[in-house]
Short mmCIF file of all heavy atoms in Angstrom, two decimals:
data_model
loop_
_atom_site.label_atom_id
_atom_site.label_comp_id
_atom_site.label_asym_id
_atom_site.label_seq_id
_atom_site.Cartn_x
_atom_site.Cartn_y
_atom_site.Cartn_z
N MET K 1 -36.08 -7.03 74.75
CA MET K 1 -34.71 -6.55 74.76
C MET K 1 -33.94 -7.37 73.71
O MET K 1 -34.07 -8.58 73.64
CB MET K 1 -34.08 -6.78 76.14
CG MET K 1 -32.60 -6.42 76.14
SD MET K 1 -31.84 -6.98 77.64
CE MET K 1 -31.50 -5.44 78.41
N ARG K 2 -33.17 -6.71 72.89
CA ARG K 2 -32.37 -7.37 71.87
C ARG K 2 -30.95 -7.57 72.38
O ARG K 2 -30.40 -6.68 73.03
CB ARG K 2 -32.26 -6.57 70.60
CG ARG K 2 -33.56 -6.51 69.85
CD ARG K 2 -33.31 -5.85 68.51
NE ARG K 2 -34.60 -5.55 67.90
CZ ARG K 2 -34.71 -4.99 66.74
NH1 ARG K 2 -33.67 -4.67 66.04
NH2 ARG K 2 -35.89 -4.74 66.27
N HIS K 3 -30.41 -8.74 72.07
CA HIS K 3 -29.01 -9.00 72.41
C HIS K 3 -28.18 -8.82 71.16
O HIS K 3 -28.53 -9.30 70.10
CB HIS K 3 -28.86 -10.43 72.94
CG HIS K 3 -29.59 -10.65 74.23
ND1 HIS K 3 -29.12 -10.19 75.43
CD2 HIS K 3 -30.78 -11.24 74.50
CE1 HIS K 3 -29.99 -10.49 76.38
NE2 HIS K 3 -31.01 -11.16 75.82
N ARG K 4 -27.07 -8.15 71.28
CA ARG K 4 -26.19 -7.91 70.15
C ARG K 4 -25.21 -9.09 70.04
O ARG K 4 -24.71 -9.63 71.01
CB ARG K 4 -25.38 -6.64 70.31
CG ARG K 4 -26.33 -5.41 70.46
CD ARG K 4 -25.54 -4.19 70.52
NE ARG K 4 -25.73 -3.56 69.22
CZ ARG K 4 -24.93 -2.65 68.72
NH1 ARG K 4 -23.87 -2.26 69.41
NH2 ARG K 4 -25.16 -2.12 67.56
N ALA K 5 -24.94 -9.45 68.79
CA ALA K 5 -23.96 -10.51 68.53
C ALA K 5 -22.57 -9.92 68.77
O ALA K 5 -22.30 -8.78 68.50
CB ALA K 5 -24.08 -11.02 67.09
N PRO K 6 -21.65 -10.76 69.27
CA PRO K 6 -20.29 -10.31 69.48
C PRO K 6 -19.67 -9.86 68.15
O PRO K 6 -20.00 -10.39 67.10
CB PRO K 6 -19.56 -11.54 70.02
CG PRO K 6 -20.62 -12.52 70.41
CD PRO K 6 -21.83 -12.14 69.65
N SER K 7 -18.74 -8.91 68.23
CA SER K 7 -18.14 -8.41 66.97
C SER K 7 -17.29 -9.51 66.35
O SER K 7 -16.73 -10.35 67.04
CB SER K 7 -17.27 -7.17 67.28
OG SER K 7 -16.22 -7.51 68.14
N GLY K 8 -17.17 -9.46 65.03
CA GLY K 8 -16.37 -10.42 64.29
C GLY K 8 -17.10 -11.75 64.05
O GLY K 8 -16.49 -12.69 63.57
N VAL K 9 -18.37 -11.82 64.36
CA VAL K 9 -19.16 -13.06 64.19
C VAL K 9 -19.56 -13.19 62.73
O VAL K 9 -19.96 -12.20 62.11
CB VAL K 9 -20.40 -13.05 65.11
CG1 VAL K 9 -21.31 -14.21 64.82
CG2 VAL K 9 -19.97 -13.08 66.57
N LEU K 10 -19.46 -14.39 62.19
CA LEU K 10 -19.95 -14.64 60.84
C LEU K 10 -21.43 -15.03 60.89
O LEU K 10 -21.82 -15.85 61.70
CB LEU K 10 -19.17 -15.79 60.19
CG LEU K 10 -17.75 -15.49 59.78
CD1 LEU K 10 -17.07 -16.76 59.25
CD2 LEU K 10 -17.71 -14.42 58.74
N VAL K 11 -22.21 -14.40 60.04
CA VAL K 11 -23.62 -14.74 59.93
C VAL K 11 -23.95 -15.02 58.49
O VAL K 11 -23.35 -14.49 57.57
CB VAL K 11 -24.54 -13.60 60.47
CG1 VAL K 11 -24.33 -13.42 61.96
CG2 VAL K 11 -24.32 -12.31 59.74
N SER K 12 -24.90 -15.90 58.28
CA SER K 12 -25.31 -16.24 56.87
C SER K 12 -26.57 -15.45 56.54
O SER K 12 -27.42 -15.26 57.40
CB SER K 12 -25.50 -17.71 56.71
OG SER K 12 -26.55 -18.15 57.51
N GLN K 13 -26.61 -15.01 55.30
CA GLN K 13 -27.77 -14.26 54.85
C GLN K 13 -28.13 -14.74 53.47
O GLN K 13 -27.30 -14.77 52.57
CB GLN K 13 -27.41 -12.78 54.79
CG GLN K 13 -28.52 -11.90 54.31
CD GLN K 13 -28.13 -10.44 54.37
OE1 GLN K 13 -27.10 -10.09 54.89
NE2 GLN K 13 -28.97 -9.61 53.79
N PRO K 14 -29.42 -15.12 53.25
CA PRO K 14 -29.83 -15.51 51.89
C PRO K 14 -29.96 -14.24 51.02
O PRO K 14 -30.51 -13.25 51.46
CB PRO K 14 -31.19 -16.19 52.10
CG PRO K 14 -31.67 -15.64 53.42
CD PRO K 14 -30.47 -15.29 54.20
N VAL K 15 -29.41 -14.34 49.81
CA VAL K 15 -29.48 -13.25 48.84
C VAL K 15 -29.82 -13.79 47.48
O VAL K 15 -29.48 -14.93 47.15
CB VAL K 15 -28.17 -12.44 48.78
CG1 VAL K 15 -27.87 -11.70 50.06
CG2 VAL K 15 -27.00 -13.36 48.44
N GLU K 16 -30.48 -13.00 46.64
CA GLU K 16 -30.73 -13.36 45.29
C GLU K 16 -29.49 -12.96 44.48
O GLU K 16 -29.04 -11.80 44.62
CB GLU K 16 -31.97 -12.66 44.71
CG GLU K 16 -32.29 -13.07 43.31
CD GLU K 16 -33.53 -12.43 42.76
OE1 GLU K 16 -33.43 -11.32 42.27
OE2 GLU K 16 -34.62 -13.04 42.91
N VAL K 17 -28.97 -13.88 43.68
CA VAL K 17 -27.80 -13.55 42.87
C VAL K 17 -28.12 -13.74 41.40
O VAL K 17 -28.93 -14.52 41.02
CB VAL K 17 -26.57 -14.43 43.27
CG1 VAL K 17 -26.13 -14.11 44.68
CG2 VAL K 17 -26.83 -15.89 43.08
N THR K 18 -27.39 -12.96 40.60
CA THR K 18 -27.47 -13.03 39.14
C THR K 18 -26.05 -13.21 38.61
O THR K 18 -25.09 -13.23 39.41
CB THR K 18 -28.09 -11.73 38.56
OG1 THR K 18 -27.17 -10.64 38.85
CG2 THR K 18 -29.43 -11.43 39.14
N SER K 19 -25.89 -13.23 37.31
CA SER K 19 -24.54 -13.33 36.76
C SER K 19 -23.73 -12.11 37.09
O SER K 19 -22.48 -12.19 37.12
CB SER K 19 -24.58 -13.57 35.25
OG SER K 19 -25.19 -12.46 34.60
N THR K 20 -24.35 -11.00 37.39
CA THR K 20 -23.67 -9.76 37.75
C THR K 20 -23.24 -9.75 39.21
O THR K 20 -22.19 -9.21 39.54
CB THR K 20 -24.57 -8.57 37.45
OG1 THR K 20 -25.02 -8.62 36.10
CG2 THR K 20 -23.84 -7.25 37.66
N THR K 21 -24.05 -10.32 40.09
CA THR K 21 -23.82 -10.16 41.51
C THR K 21 -23.23 -11.37 42.24
O THR K 21 -22.86 -11.26 43.39
CB THR K 21 -25.14 -9.78 42.24
OG1 THR K 21 -26.08 -10.83 42.03
CG2 THR K 21 -25.67 -8.45 41.70
N VAL K 22 -23.14 -12.52 41.58
CA VAL K 22 -22.60 -13.71 42.22
C VAL K 22 -21.14 -13.50 42.61
O VAL K 22 -20.43 -12.75 41.91
CB VAL K 22 -22.79 -14.96 41.31
CG1 VAL K 22 -21.93 -14.88 40.06
CG2 VAL K 22 -22.49 -16.22 42.11
N GLN K 23 -20.73 -14.05 43.75
CA GLN K 23 -19.37 -13.86 44.25
C GLN K 23 -18.73 -15.18 44.65
O GLN K 23 -19.46 -16.14 44.96
CB GLN K 23 -19.39 -12.96 45.50
CG GLN K 23 -19.90 -11.59 45.30
CD GLN K 23 -19.98 -10.83 46.58
OE1 GLN K 23 -19.53 -11.29 47.63
NE2 GLN K 23 -20.50 -9.62 46.51
N ARG K 24 -17.42 -15.21 44.67
CA ARG K 24 -16.74 -16.36 45.25
C ARG K 24 -17.17 -16.54 46.69
O ARG K 24 -17.32 -15.55 47.39
CB ARG K 24 -15.22 -16.16 45.20
CG ARG K 24 -14.63 -16.35 43.86
CD ARG K 24 -13.12 -16.30 43.92
NE ARG K 24 -12.58 -16.35 42.56
CZ ARG K 24 -12.03 -15.33 41.94
NH1 ARG K 24 -11.93 -14.15 42.56
NH2 ARG K 24 -11.59 -15.47 40.72
N GLY K 25 -17.34 -17.77 47.10
CA GLY K 25 -17.77 -18.03 48.47
C GLY K 25 -19.27 -18.19 48.66
O GLY K 25 -19.74 -18.67 49.66
N ASP K 26 -20.07 -17.71 47.67
CA ASP K 26 -21.51 -17.88 47.75
C ASP K 26 -21.83 -19.40 47.75
O ASP K 26 -21.19 -20.16 47.07
CB ASP K 26 -22.22 -17.21 46.58
CG ASP K 26 -22.28 -15.71 46.67
OD1 ASP K 26 -21.94 -15.17 47.74
OD2 ASP K 26 -22.68 -15.09 45.66
N ILE K 27 -22.84 -19.78 48.50
CA ILE K 27 -23.28 -21.14 48.56
C ILE K 27 -24.63 -21.24 47.89
O ILE K 27 -25.58 -20.59 48.29
CB ILE K 27 -23.37 -21.64 50.03
CG1 ILE K 27 -22.00 -21.53 50.68
CG2 ILE K 27 -23.89 -23.07 50.06
CD1 ILE K 27 -22.02 -21.72 52.18
N ILE K 28 -24.69 -22.01 46.79
CA ILE K 28 -25.89 -22.15 45.99
C ILE K 28 -26.34 -23.59 46.05
O ILE K 28 -25.55 -24.49 45.89
CB ILE K 28 -25.61 -21.73 44.52
CG1 ILE K 28 -25.13 -20.29 44.47
CG2 ILE K 28 -26.81 -21.95 43.66
CD1 ILE K 28 -24.60 -19.86 43.13
N GLN K 29 -27.64 -23.79 46.28
CA GLN K 29 -28.18 -25.15 46.30
C GLN K 29 -28.53 -25.57 44.90
O GLN K 29 -29.37 -24.92 44.23
CB GLN K 29 -29.40 -25.22 47.22
CG GLN K 29 -29.81 -26.64 47.44
CD GLN K 29 -30.68 -26.78 48.68
OE1 GLN K 29 -30.99 -25.79 49.33
NE2 GLN K 29 -31.15 -27.95 48.93
N VAL K 30 -27.93 -26.67 44.43
CA VAL K 30 -28.16 -27.19 43.08
C VAL K 30 -28.50 -28.66 43.23
O VAL K 30 -27.73 -29.44 43.76
CB VAL K 30 -26.90 -27.02 42.20
CG1 VAL K 30 -27.17 -27.57 40.81
CG2 VAL K 30 -26.46 -25.56 42.11
N GLY K 31 -29.68 -29.04 42.80
CA GLY K 31 -30.08 -30.44 42.87
C GLY K 31 -30.11 -30.98 44.26
O GLY K 31 -29.81 -32.16 44.49
N GLY K 32 -30.46 -30.14 45.26
CA GLY K 32 -30.53 -30.58 46.62
C GLY K 32 -29.20 -30.57 47.35
O GLY K 32 -29.14 -30.94 48.53
N ARG K 33 -28.13 -30.19 46.67
CA ARG K 33 -26.80 -30.16 47.27
C ARG K 33 -26.32 -28.72 47.41
O ARG K 33 -26.49 -27.93 46.47
CB ARG K 33 -25.76 -30.91 46.44
CG ARG K 33 -26.02 -32.39 46.42
CD ARG K 33 -24.99 -33.12 45.62
NE ARG K 33 -23.64 -32.66 45.94
CZ ARG K 33 -22.62 -32.80 45.12
NH1 ARG K 33 -22.75 -33.40 43.95
NH2 ARG K 33 -21.43 -32.36 45.44
N ALA K 34 -25.71 -28.38 48.52
CA ALA K 34 -25.17 -27.03 48.70
C ALA K 34 -23.77 -27.03 48.06
O ALA K 34 -22.91 -27.84 48.40
CB ALA K 34 -25.07 -26.69 50.19
N CYS K 35 -23.58 -26.08 47.16
CA CYS K 35 -22.31 -25.99 46.42
C CYS K 35 -21.71 -24.59 46.62
O CYS K 35 -22.39 -23.59 46.39
CB CYS K 35 -22.54 -26.21 44.94
SG CYS K 35 -23.26 -27.79 44.53
N ARG K 36 -20.45 -24.54 47.06
CA ARG K 36 -19.76 -23.29 47.29
C ARG K 36 -19.01 -22.88 46.01
O ARG K 36 -18.25 -23.63 45.47
CB ARG K 36 -18.78 -23.38 48.45
CG ARG K 36 -18.13 -22.05 48.77
CD ARG K 36 -17.12 -22.17 49.92
NE ARG K 36 -17.72 -22.72 51.11
CZ ARG K 36 -18.25 -21.98 52.09
NH1 ARG K 36 -18.24 -20.68 52.03
NH2 ARG K 36 -18.78 -22.58 53.15
N VAL K 37 -19.19 -21.62 45.58
CA VAL K 37 -18.53 -21.09 44.40
C VAL K 37 -17.04 -20.84 44.73
O VAL K 37 -16.74 -20.08 45.65
CB VAL K 37 -19.18 -19.80 43.90
CG1 VAL K 37 -18.44 -19.21 42.73
CG2 VAL K 37 -20.66 -20.02 43.62
N SER K 38 -16.17 -21.52 43.98
CA SER K 38 -14.73 -21.35 44.22
C SER K 38 -14.10 -20.42 43.18
O SER K 38 -13.08 -19.81 43.43
CB SER K 38 -14.01 -22.68 44.27
OG SER K 38 -14.08 -23.32 43.01
N ASN K 39 -14.71 -20.33 41.98
CA ASN K 39 -14.14 -19.48 40.96
C ASN K 39 -15.24 -19.09 39.96
O ASN K 39 -16.23 -19.80 39.81
CB ASN K 39 -13.00 -20.20 40.21
CG ASN K 39 -11.95 -19.23 39.72
OD1 ASN K 39 -12.17 -18.02 39.68
ND2 ASN K 39 -10.81 -19.75 39.33
N LEU K 40 -15.03 -18.00 39.26
CA LEU K 40 -15.98 -17.47 38.29
C LEU K 40 -15.25 -17.17 36.99
O LEU K 40 -14.12 -16.68 37.03
CB LEU K 40 -16.62 -16.18 38.77
CG LEU K 40 -17.19 -16.15 40.16
CD1 LEU K 40 -17.31 -14.71 40.64
CD2 LEU K 40 -18.56 -16.74 40.14
N PHE K 41 -15.91 -17.41 35.89
CA PHE K 41 -15.34 -17.08 34.59
C PHE K 41 -16.37 -16.31 33.78
O PHE K 41 -17.51 -16.77 33.66
CB PHE K 41 -14.94 -18.35 33.82
CG PHE K 41 -13.89 -19.14 34.52
CD1 PHE K 41 -14.24 -20.24 35.26
CD2 PHE K 41 -12.54 -18.77 34.46
CE1 PHE K 41 -13.27 -20.98 35.91
CE2 PHE K 41 -11.59 -19.51 35.13
CZ PHE K 41 -11.96 -20.64 35.87
N GLN K 42 -15.97 -15.15 33.28
CA GLN K 42 -16.86 -14.33 32.46
C GLN K 42 -16.98 -14.95 31.10
O GLN K 42 -15.99 -15.37 30.48
CB GLN K 42 -16.29 -12.91 32.31
CG GLN K 42 -17.19 -11.95 31.60
CD GLN K 42 -18.45 -11.64 32.37
OE1 GLN K 42 -18.38 -11.31 33.55
NE2 GLN K 42 -19.59 -11.68 31.71
N LEU K 43 -18.19 -15.07 30.58
CA LEU K 43 -18.50 -15.61 29.24
C LEU K 43 -19.13 -14.50 28.43
O LEU K 43 -19.53 -13.44 28.95
CB LEU K 43 -19.43 -16.80 29.39
CG LEU K 43 -18.92 -17.99 30.17
CD1 LEU K 43 -20.01 -19.05 30.30
CD2 LEU K 43 -17.68 -18.59 29.52
N PRO K 44 -19.23 -14.71 27.09
CA PRO K 44 -19.83 -13.68 26.25
C PRO K 44 -21.27 -13.36 26.62
O PRO K 44 -21.98 -14.19 27.19
CB PRO K 44 -19.80 -14.32 24.85
CG PRO K 44 -18.73 -15.37 24.93
CD PRO K 44 -18.73 -15.85 26.34
N GLN K 45 -21.70 -12.14 26.34
CA GLN K 45 -23.08 -11.66 26.52
C GLN K 45 -23.50 -11.64 27.98
O GLN K 45 -24.66 -11.84 28.31
CB GLN K 45 -24.06 -12.46 25.66
CG GLN K 45 -23.75 -12.35 24.19
CD GLN K 45 -24.62 -13.24 23.35
OE1 GLN K 45 -25.34 -14.11 23.85
NE2 GLN K 45 -24.57 -13.03 22.00
N GLY K 46 -22.57 -11.46 28.91
CA GLY K 46 -22.88 -11.29 30.32
C GLY K 46 -23.07 -12.57 31.12
O GLY K 46 -23.37 -12.54 32.30
N ALA K 47 -22.93 -13.75 30.48
CA ALA K 47 -23.07 -15.02 31.20
C ALA K 47 -21.81 -15.26 32.04
O ALA K 47 -20.75 -14.67 31.85
CB ALA K 47 -23.27 -16.16 30.22
N LYS K 48 -21.93 -16.16 33.03
CA LYS K 48 -20.78 -16.53 33.85
C LYS K 48 -20.80 -18.02 34.04
O LYS K 48 -21.85 -18.65 34.17
CB LYS K 48 -20.80 -15.87 35.22
CG LYS K 48 -20.34 -14.44 35.18
CD LYS K 48 -19.81 -13.96 36.47
CE LYS K 48 -19.34 -12.55 36.30
NZ LYS K 48 -19.62 -11.74 37.44
N GLN K 49 -19.61 -18.62 34.09
CA GLN K 49 -19.47 -20.03 34.45
C GLN K 49 -18.98 -20.07 35.88
O GLN K 49 -17.98 -19.47 36.21
CB GLN K 49 -18.48 -20.74 33.53
CG GLN K 49 -18.40 -22.21 33.84
CD GLN K 49 -17.49 -22.91 32.88
OE1 GLN K 49 -16.58 -22.37 32.33
NE2 GLN K 49 -17.76 -24.21 32.68
N LEU K 50 -19.72 -20.76 36.72
CA LEU K 50 -19.36 -20.91 38.15
C LEU K 50 -18.67 -22.26 38.32
O LEU K 50 -19.16 -23.27 37.85
CB LEU K 50 -20.61 -20.86 39.01
CG LEU K 50 -21.61 -19.72 38.75
CD1 LEU K 50 -22.77 -19.86 39.73
CD2 LEU K 50 -20.94 -18.39 38.89
N LEU K 51 -17.55 -22.24 38.99
CA LEU K 51 -16.84 -23.46 39.34
C LEU K 51 -16.99 -23.70 40.82
O LEU K 51 -16.67 -22.80 41.61
CB LEU K 51 -15.37 -23.37 38.92
CG LEU K 51 -14.52 -24.63 39.22
CD1 LEU K 51 -15.05 -25.81 38.39
CD2 LEU K 51 -13.08 -24.35 38.89
N PHE K 52 -17.52 -24.85 41.19
CA PHE K 52 -17.74 -25.16 42.61
C PHE K 52 -16.57 -25.90 43.18
O PHE K 52 -15.74 -26.50 42.44
CB PHE K 52 -19.03 -26.01 42.78
CG PHE K 52 -20.25 -25.26 42.29
CD1 PHE K 52 -21.00 -25.74 41.24
CD2 PHE K 52 -20.65 -24.10 42.91
CE1 PHE K 52 -22.15 -25.09 40.81
CE2 PHE K 52 -21.81 -23.42 42.49
CZ PHE K 52 -22.55 -23.91 41.43
N GLU K 53 -16.46 -25.89 44.52
CA GLU K 53 -15.36 -26.60 45.20
C GLU K 53 -15.35 -28.08 44.87
O GLU K 53 -14.30 -28.70 44.91
CB GLU K 53 -15.48 -26.41 46.72
CG GLU K 53 -15.10 -25.00 47.15
CD GLU K 53 -15.22 -24.79 48.64
OE1 GLU K 53 -15.88 -25.65 49.34
OE2 GLU K 53 -14.68 -23.80 49.10
N SER K 54 -16.49 -28.66 44.53
CA SER K 54 -16.61 -30.07 44.22
C SER K 54 -16.01 -30.41 42.84
O SER K 54 -15.93 -31.57 42.47
CB SER K 54 -18.07 -30.52 44.29
OG SER K 54 -18.79 -29.81 43.26
N GLY K 55 -15.71 -29.35 42.03
CA GLY K 55 -15.22 -29.58 40.69
C GLY K 55 -16.28 -29.43 39.62
O GLY K 55 -15.98 -29.41 38.44
N GLU K 56 -17.52 -29.37 40.05
CA GLU K 56 -18.63 -29.24 39.10
C GLU K 56 -18.75 -27.77 38.67
O GLU K 56 -18.23 -26.88 39.35
CB GLU K 56 -19.93 -29.69 39.77
CG GLU K 56 -19.92 -31.15 40.15
CD GLU K 56 -21.09 -31.50 41.04
OE1 GLU K 56 -21.25 -30.86 42.08
OE2 GLU K 56 -21.77 -32.46 40.72
N SER K 57 -19.41 -27.57 37.51
CA SER K 57 -19.56 -26.18 37.05
C SER K 57 -21.04 -25.97 36.69
O SER K 57 -21.78 -26.87 36.44
CB SER K 57 -18.66 -25.90 35.87
OG SER K 57 -19.02 -26.71 34.79
N LEU K 58 -21.39 -24.69 36.66
CA LEU K 58 -22.74 -24.27 36.29
C LEU K 58 -22.64 -22.98 35.49
O LEU K 58 -21.93 -22.06 35.93
CB LEU K 58 -23.60 -24.05 37.54
CG LEU K 58 -25.01 -23.49 37.33
CD1 LEU K 58 -25.89 -24.51 36.63
CD2 LEU K 58 -25.62 -23.09 38.66
N THR K 59 -23.25 -22.88 34.36
CA THR K 59 -23.28 -21.64 33.59
C THR K 59 -24.61 -20.96 33.83
O THR K 59 -25.68 -21.55 33.73
CB THR K 59 -23.10 -21.97 32.08
OG1 THR K 59 -21.87 -22.65 31.89
CG2 THR K 59 -23.13 -20.69 31.27
N ILE K 60 -24.50 -19.66 34.19
CA ILE K 60 -25.72 -18.88 34.37
C ILE K 60 -25.70 -17.71 33.39
O ILE K 60 -24.63 -17.17 33.05
CB ILE K 60 -25.88 -18.39 35.84
CG1 ILE K 60 -24.73 -17.51 36.30
CG2 ILE K 60 -26.07 -19.56 36.77
CD1 ILE K 60 -24.91 -16.89 37.65
N HIS K 61 -26.89 -17.34 32.94
CA HIS K 61 -27.03 -16.29 31.96
C HIS K 61 -27.53 -15.03 32.60
O HIS K 61 -27.81 -15.02 33.82
CB HIS K 61 -27.97 -16.77 30.82
CG HIS K 61 -27.45 -17.98 30.15
ND1 HIS K 61 -26.49 -17.92 29.12
CD2 HIS K 61 -27.67 -19.31 30.35
CE1 HIS K 61 -26.20 -19.13 28.74
NE2 HIS K 61 -26.90 -20.00 29.44
N THR K 62 -27.64 -13.97 31.87
CA THR K 62 -27.99 -12.68 32.42
C THR K 62 -29.37 -12.68 33.12
O THR K 62 -29.56 -11.92 34.07
CB THR K 62 -27.96 -11.60 31.35
OG1 THR K 62 -28.80 -11.98 30.26
CG2 THR K 62 -26.57 -11.35 30.85
N ARG K 63 -30.29 -13.49 32.67
CA ARG K 63 -31.61 -13.52 33.27
C ARG K 63 -31.79 -14.58 34.35
O ARG K 63 -32.89 -14.73 34.94
CB ARG K 63 -32.71 -13.66 32.20
CG ARG K 63 -32.86 -12.38 31.40
CD ARG K 63 -34.01 -12.45 30.53
NE ARG K 63 -33.53 -12.93 29.18
CZ ARG K 63 -34.32 -13.29 28.22
NH1 ARG K 63 -35.62 -13.27 28.38
NH2 ARG K 63 -33.83 -13.69 27.08
N THR K 64 -30.77 -15.34 34.64
CA THR K 64 -30.84 -16.37 35.68
C THR K 64 -30.86 -15.73 37.04
O THR K 64 -30.08 -14.81 37.34
CB THR K 64 -29.62 -17.32 35.59
OG1 THR K 64 -29.54 -17.87 34.28
CG2 THR K 64 -29.68 -18.43 36.63
N ARG K 65 -31.80 -16.19 37.89
CA ARG K 65 -31.90 -15.73 39.28
C ARG K 65 -31.79 -16.94 40.17
O ARG K 65 -32.55 -17.91 40.03
CB ARG K 65 -33.25 -15.05 39.51
CG ARG K 65 -33.54 -13.87 38.61
CD ARG K 65 -32.94 -12.62 39.17
NE ARG K 65 -33.31 -11.45 38.39
CZ ARG K 65 -32.55 -10.88 37.45
NH1 ARG K 65 -31.38 -11.41 37.18
NH2 ARG K 65 -32.94 -9.79 36.83
N LEU K 66 -30.87 -16.88 41.16
CA LEU K 66 -30.67 -17.96 42.10
C LEU K 66 -30.64 -17.37 43.50
O LEU K 66 -30.27 -16.23 43.71
CB LEU K 66 -29.35 -18.69 41.84
CG LEU K 66 -29.15 -19.35 40.44
CD1 LEU K 66 -27.72 -19.75 40.27
CD2 LEU K 66 -30.08 -20.53 40.32
N VAL K 67 -31.03 -18.20 44.47
CA VAL K 67 -30.87 -17.81 45.87
C VAL K 67 -29.59 -18.45 46.40
O VAL K 67 -29.38 -19.64 46.24
CB VAL K 67 -32.09 -18.25 46.74
CG1 VAL K 67 -31.88 -17.91 48.18
CG2 VAL K 67 -33.36 -17.60 46.18
N ALA K 68 -28.74 -17.62 47.00
CA ALA K 68 -27.50 -18.08 47.57
C ALA K 68 -27.40 -17.68 49.01
O ALA K 68 -28.11 -16.75 49.46
CB ALA K 68 -26.31 -17.47 46.79
N VAL K 69 -26.56 -18.36 49.75
CA VAL K 69 -26.26 -17.99 51.12
C VAL K 69 -24.91 -17.33 51.09
O VAL K 69 -23.97 -17.86 50.54
CB VAL K 69 -26.25 -19.21 52.07
CG1 VAL K 69 -25.82 -18.82 53.46
CG2 VAL K 69 -27.63 -19.86 52.10
N ARG K 70 -24.85 -16.15 51.63
CA ARG K 70 -23.60 -15.39 51.67
C ARG K 70 -23.22 -15.17 53.13
O ARG K 70 -24.02 -14.70 53.94
CB ARG K 70 -23.80 -14.05 50.95
CG ARG K 70 -22.52 -13.27 50.77
CD ARG K 70 -22.72 -12.11 49.82
NE ARG K 70 -22.90 -12.60 48.46
CZ ARG K 70 -23.41 -11.92 47.47
NH1 ARG K 70 -23.81 -10.67 47.68
NH2 ARG K 70 -23.50 -12.42 46.26
N MET K 71 -21.96 -15.47 53.43
CA MET K 71 -21.47 -15.30 54.80
C MET K 71 -21.00 -13.84 54.94
O MET K 71 -20.24 -13.35 54.11
CB MET K 71 -20.31 -16.23 55.09
CG MET K 71 -20.66 -17.71 54.96
SD MET K 71 -22.06 -18.23 55.99
CE MET K 71 -21.26 -18.26 57.56
N LEU K 72 -21.51 -13.18 55.97
CA LEU K 72 -21.17 -11.80 56.26
C LEU K 72 -20.50 -11.70 57.61
O LEU K 72 -20.95 -12.41 58.57
CB LEU K 72 -22.41 -10.90 56.22
CG LEU K 72 -23.21 -10.87 54.95
CD1 LEU K 72 -24.46 -10.07 55.14
CD2 LEU K 72 -22.36 -10.25 53.81
N ARG K 73 -19.52 -10.87 57.74
CA ARG K 73 -18.86 -10.65 59.03
C ARG K 73 -19.48 -9.41 59.67
O ARG K 73 -19.51 -8.34 59.16
CB ARG K 73 -17.36 -10.44 58.86
CG ARG K 73 -16.61 -10.29 60.16
CD ARG K 73 -15.13 -10.27 59.97
NE ARG K 73 -14.62 -11.49 59.41
CZ ARG K 73 -14.33 -12.61 60.03
NH1 ARG K 73 -14.52 -12.66 61.34
NH2 ARG K 73 -13.85 -13.64 59.40
N ARG K 74 -20.02 -9.65 60.89
CA ARG K 74 -20.62 -8.54 61.65
C ARG K 74 -19.54 -7.85 62.46
O ARG K 74 -18.71 -8.50 63.04
CB ARG K 74 -21.68 -9.05 62.61
CG ARG K 74 -22.88 -9.63 61.93
CD ARG K 74 -23.70 -8.53 61.40
NE ARG K 74 -24.86 -9.16 60.75
CZ ARG K 74 -25.89 -8.50 60.33
NH1 ARG K 74 -25.95 -7.21 60.43
NH2 ARG K 74 -26.86 -9.12 59.72
N ARG K 75 -19.57 -6.55 62.47
CA ARG K 75 -18.57 -5.78 63.23
C ARG K 75 -19.03 -5.50 64.64
O ARG K 75 -20.11 -5.46 64.98
CB ARG K 75 -18.25 -4.45 62.55
CG ARG K 75 -17.66 -4.66 61.22
CD ARG K 75 -17.38 -3.35 60.59
NE ARG K 75 -17.00 -3.54 59.21
CZ ARG K 75 -16.33 -2.69 58.51
NH1 ARG K 75 -15.94 -1.57 59.06
NH2 ARG K 75 -16.02 -2.91 57.27
#
């Protein structure tokens, strides 16, 4: 028997992100540290600069693939 989660519950889901699909709020592990994306800046040729809550930044290019944790709200 499966139990349903109460509505409005936040659940985390790992997703593969690229420069096209990365979103604010995604949590990406960099150098063993979990970093939450606070802002994104579009760069030439499809690259993006990610700004983390810690103040650090990371530039990803069109072929960069990362695993992120994305918080989803269940209805």
Side-chain angles (χ1 to χ4, degrees):
M1 175 192 249
R2 289 188 193 182
H3 296 284
R4 301 184 106 201
S7 62
V9 171
L10 288 175
V11 295
S12 63
Q13 178 178 352
V15 292
E16 183 178 86
V17 295
T18 65
S19 63
T20 307
T21 61
V22 67
Q23 298 176 4
R24 284 187 185 108
D26 284 350
I27 301 169
I28 300 171
Q29 190 162 359
V30 180
R33 292 182 45 202
C35 301
R36 184 182 303 268
V37 177
S38 64
N39 211 346
L40 309 159
F41 299 99
Q42 185 68 47
L43 298 174
Q45 300 174 349
K48 282 205 179 142
Q49 184 177 27
L50 311 180
L51 181 62
F52 298 117
E53 288 179 345
S54 63
E56 297 167 308
S57 64
L58 175 69
T59 301
I60 60 174
H61 300 277
T62 54
R63 288 189 267 171
T64 303
R65 302 275 186 261
L66 300 169
V67 175
V69 174
R70 187 168 288 163
M71 300 304 285
L72 301 174
R73 184 173 298 277
R74 295 284 179 171
R75 297 180 190 202

